[in-house]
Amino acid sequence: MPEQFDAIIIGAGQSGPFLAARLADAGRSVALIERDHLGGTCVNDGCTPTKTMVASARAAWSARHAAQFGVVLKGPVTVDMAAVKARKDKVVAASVNGLTDWLGGLRTLKYFKGEGRFVSPTEVKVGKRVLTAPQIFINTGATASVPDWPGIKSVPHLTNTSMMNLDSLPGHLIIAGASYIGLEFAQMYARFGSKVTVIERGPRPASREDADISAAIRDILEAEGVTFMFNTTVEAVAKAGHGVLLSLKSGERLASVEGTHLLVALGRTPNTAALDLAAAGIETDERGFIPVDDHLRTRVKGIWAMGDVNGRGAFTHTSYNDFEIVADNVINGGKRSLAGRIPVYGLFIDPPLGRIGMSETEVRKSGRKALISVMPMSRVSRAKERGETQGLMKVLVDAQTRQVLGAAILGIGGDEVVHSLLQLMAAGTPYTSMMHTMHIHPTVTELLPTLLADLKPLV
């Protein structure tokens, strides 16, 4: 006989465990299914480990540039990659253990280790056990996409997940893909001491960004020794000694590059293949994502999809926000939805990029009357004092309502500073209110009123 629960959650990423806990706190019986690790990508091979390694890379960079600040270090700066990995593993373990202990203390929650698949719209099988519930929530996330290049299956290659097991320094790291994951690893390993080559089929890095932001990102990474190959596709891969050889094509020109390691960073694929969604009556879109409405409900009554698997966001914070929306709807009878969610994300190179709302390109396509202001970070006192003047700040405002449409801050603290403008957007407050507010000196945020004071028509 199927085991009865009030709710079943498949996947323990950044939505599942929190929803499970909220439901359990409300007195409902909950089955939480996870095939691998609690915490999903973020905790195990995403945000937590990579940003821990970014911090190590930052320390190496600071040590090498110490003389610029009057600090003298005797001898060359070297990086112990085994120690970097050990530190990362310790931070990850603490996060996973904390999550495990927290969920283990919830009386009405039962944890099932294994892969869940649908038997019907109300039943899920885990191993030989069948669970049933009137409400089922999918939070299975996504994994790295690996293209079917000739030779790829016979050549050792890395993804963002397997990179976490690397405890030695690549002599020459080749990265396929110049989007967010690829760029973060590129700078990180260049700072550790690897030669790094990034291959991108498009004309610039971070192609989702405006051209000026992409150009500034390129300048930052090239200044640290990263080599880019744009408008280039991979035609085939093969073993080369203890490394890998990539055959490339750029226009009509053929080329090749040889390295010790290959990292494939070409997007993510939703984890839906093993769910047997057809048994529940759920269809995916052409990319494998589960379509949902603004309340995260699938087309099948009683089934929701949260996090990366629904294609409505690809970040830890969007997944967590999915949980907040579902919990409000299901437990509190509320009406929160995706409709009011403002796009916001960061690129965690150093200095970081904070992005909110619409880009300049998107504003132009909308045809609305808008104002724009751009300021180089070289005008910011905090940046000059820190000796890190790379990047720029950009903000776009509706010319009629005076409300912020979007912003990009690429520079010191950009991922934090941009939240000040985000709050203006969320509150529907005109930008002029920030101009009349006194800020602390010397900070980056204090230049936002100056940035806004220089708004000009977007033509």
Side-chain angles (χ1 to χ4, degrees), residues 10-35:
I10 310 173
Q14 286 301 299
S15 296
F18 296 97
L19 180 61
R22 184 71 65 84
L23 289 166
D25 285 340
R28 304 185 190 185
S29 59
V30 183
L32 177 62
I33 304 168
E34 172 55 47
R35 68 180 180 182

Side-chain angles (χ1 to χ4, degrees), residues 353-382:
L353 168 68
R355 270 275 285 112
I356 60 171
M358 302 172 74
S359 66
E360 178 184 342
T361 303
E362 291 169 333
V363 173
R364 289 185 182 279
K365 287 182 179 179
S366 74
R368 68 203 304 166
K369 291 184 178 180
L371 306 175
I372 186 172
S373 182
V374 180
M375 177 188 294
M377 290 299 293
S378 58
R379 289 183 55 188
V380 179
S381 294
R382 169 58 66 87

Side-chain angles (χ1 to χ4, degrees), residues 86-209:
R87 176 177 179 272
K88 178 265 298 179
D89 289 344
K90 183 177 180 181
V91 173
V92 170
S95 297
V96 173
N97 291 338
L99 188 59
T100 301
D101 292 344
W102 174 49
L103 294 175
L106 298 173
R107 185 176 56 83
T108 62
L109 187 149
K110 191 170 183 178
Y111 175 51
F112 294 85
K113 183 69 177 291
E115 191 159 66
R117 64 178 182 85
F118 282 94
V119 178
S120 75
T122 58
E123 295 173 305
V124 177
K125 190 172 184 180
V126 189
K128 296 182 179 181
R129 305 170 78 166
V130 176
L131 319 178
T132 184
Q135 295 180 331
I136 300 176
F137 306 89
I138 304 169
N139 181 220
T140 50
T143 52
S145 301
V146 178
D148 57 352
W149 296 324
I152 188 64
K153 293 182 179 179
S154 60
V155 172
H157 58 275
L158 300 160
T159 64
N160 68 294
T161 298
S162 53
M163 282 291 288
M164 296 300 97
N165 298 321
L166 202 61
D167 62 358
S168 58
L169 184 67
H172 182 187
L173 175 63
I174 301 172
I175 301 176
S179 193
Y180 306 100
I181 292 175
L183 294 172
E184 290 177 17
F185 276 113
Q187 185 185 51
M188 185 194 309
Y189 274 87
R191 289 182 166 189
F192 287 147
S194 296
K195 178 181 178 181
V196 177
T197 299
V198 179
I199 300 168
E200 168 58 37
R201 61 187 174 187
R204 54 191 176 91
S207 59
R208 180 176 178 177
E209 308 303 329

Side-chain angles (χ1 to χ4, degrees), residues 17-66:
F18 296 97
L19 180 61
R22 184 71 65 84
L23 289 166
D25 285 340
R28 304 185 190 185
S29 59
V30 183
L32 177 62
I33 304 168
E34 172 55 47
R35 68 180 180 182
D36 199 356
H37 302 295
L38 291 174
T41 296
C42 176
V43 173
N44 295 282
D45 46 44
C47 309
T48 298
T50 58
K51 277 51 181 181
T52 302
M53 293 175 68
V54 164
S56 294
R58 167 78 188 188
W61 179 90
S62 297
R64 292 193 183 100
H65 289 77

Side-chain angles (χ1 to χ4, degrees), residues 100-339:
T100 301
D101 292 344
W102 174 49
L103 294 175
L106 298 173
R107 185 176 56 83
T108 62
L109 187 149
K110 191 170 183 178
Y111 175 51
F112 294 85
K113 183 69 177 291
E115 191 159 66
R117 64 178 182 85
F118 282 94
V119 178
S120 75
T122 58
E123 295 173 305
V124 177
K125 190 172 184 180
V126 189
K128 296 182 179 181
R129 305 170 78 166
V130 176
L131 319 178
T132 184
Q135 295 180 331
I136 300 176
F137 306 89
I138 304 169
N139 181 220
T140 50
T143 52
S145 301
V146 178
D148 57 352
W149 296 324
I152 188 64
K153 293 182 179 179
S154 60
V155 172
H157 58 275
L158 300 160
T159 64
N160 68 294
T161 298
S162 53
M163 282 291 288
M164 296 300 97
N165 298 321
L166 202 61
D167 62 358
S168 58
L169 184 67
H172 182 187
L173 175 63
I174 301 172
I175 301 176
S179 193
Y180 306 100
I181 292 175
L183 294 172
E184 290 177 17
F185 276 113
Q187 185 185 51
M188 185 194 309
Y189 274 87
R191 289 182 166 189
F192 287 147
S194 296
K195 178 181 178 181
V196 177
T197 299
V198 179
I199 300 168
E200 168 58 37
R201 61 187 174 187
R204 54 191 176 91
S207 59
R208 180 176 178 177
E209 308 303 329
D210 292 328
D212 55 352
I213 299 296
S214 288
I217 291 170
R218 177 178 180 175
D219 289 344
I220 290 168
L221 269 64
E222 285 185 336
E224 298 197 24
V226 175
T227 299
F228 287 100
M229 300 178 71
F230 294 111
N231 299 308
T232 301
T233 58
V234 177
E235 298 295 294
V237 295
K239 291 182 179 179
H242 295 292
V244 59
L245 175 70
L246 275 68
S247 298
L248 310 173
K249 186 176 183 180
S250 180
E252 297 301 317
R253 185 174 64 88
L254 300 178
S256 64
V257 61
E258 185 176 337
T260 58
H261 296 72
L262 169 63
L263 167 62
V264 180
L266 294 169
R268 311 276 291 171
T269 299
N271 293 325
T272 53
L275 288 171
D276 198 359
L277 294 173
I282 298 174
E283 295 182 356
T284 61
D285 64 16
E286 65 278 2
R287 297 179 297 164
F289 292 104
I290 300 174
V292 294
D293 64 14
D294 283 351
H295 297 281
L296 289 311
R297 297 173 297 201
T298 70
R299 293 167 185 163
V300 177
K301 186 178 179 179
I303 302 178
W304 290 254
M306 310 177 296
D308 295 3
V309 76
N310 63 30
R312 301 294 291 270
F315 305 99
T316 293
H317 52 273
T318 53
S319 181
Y320 188 83
N321 185 242
D322 284 0
F323 140 68
E324 293 177 314
I325 291 170
V326 171
D328 180 65
N329 293 179
V330 173
I331 301 174
N332 302 329
K335 297 181 179 179
R336 288 183 64 176
S337 76
L338 296 177

